Amino acid sequence: MLGATTGTTFALWHDSAQAAGVTATAGNISVTVNNSTAASLTGPTGLTPGNAKTVTTTVKNASAAAPNLRMQVYLDSVTSSQPAWTGDVEVAAATYTTSCTAATTGYVSVGASSANVAVTSTSLSSGGSANLCISVRLKSSAALAAYGKTGTLTLTFRGQQVRP
């Protein structure tokens, strides 16, 4: 009689090694307006109900630490030092190539937060910039308290990484 035996051994092999001195640095997203993170612009005057006035500026992807970073720019919020404008004055921002034309869509009311309105139509690579047209208008239905007032608008822009 012939017989066969088989045997199995189970072994768990494990080893580890450490690599010391590895430095990692995360990139950052930085949006600038006129090369500043807190730019001042001279705004439009003589707003009339339903008609928009424009101001031009430049928005830039200033993310130097991350040379391959591409981002989209968004208008997040609009606030005002003039309480009478809340809900009655609107702002829109969009890029342009040859001339700044008042926006017809994409307006954000003063007092709105987390508006998340896309400003750039294409993503900006690191160091890239785009001409920006900012439109300001008084709503046709604005309350009388909003007329003839002067105030400072603060527009908050946000850059968001565009994933490949």
Side-chain angles (χ1 to χ4, degrees):
M1 191 171 202
L2 277 175
T5 62
T6 59
T8 307
T9 60
F10 296 97
L12 177 63
W13 299 95
H14 184 299
D15 193 13
S16 65
Q18 291 182 343
V22 176
T23 303
T25 304
N28 67 331
I29 279 189
S30 178
V31 178
T32 61
V33 176
N34 286 348
N35 292 317
S36 175
T37 55
S40 293
L41 307 172
T42 302
T45 59
L47 295 176
T48 57
N51 294 313
K53 301 268 183 142
T54 60
V55 176
T56 60
T57 188
T58 303
V59 65
K60 180 178 181 181
N61 177 350
S63 305
N68 296 320
L69 181 71
R70 297 181 64 78
M71 72 176 185
Q72 188 81 24
V73 179
Y74 294 85
L75 175 59
D76 265 357
S77 66
V78 181
T79 57
S80 173
S81 65
Q82 179 53 257
W85 285 354
T86 300
D88 285 330
V89 171
E90 300 175 307
V91 176
T95 57
Y96 70 95
T97 51
T98 54
S99 64
C100 174
T101 305
T104 56
T105 61
Y107 279 90
V108 176
S109 291
V110 167
S113 62
S114 299
N116 200 32
V117 176
V119 171
T120 52
S121 57
T122 59
S123 62
L124 296 175
S125 59
S126 183
S129 62
N131 295 323
L132 192 62
C133 184
I134 300 172
S135 302
V136 182
R137 73 180 178 190
L138 184 63
K139 283 184 176 178
S140 297
S141 61
L144 289 176
Y147 289 69
K149 304 292 184 188
T150 298
T152 301
L153 296 173
T154 302
L155 283 62
T156 303
F157 294 97
R158 170 180 52 89
Q160 182 172 325
Q161 180 180 1
V162 175
R163 296 195 172 127

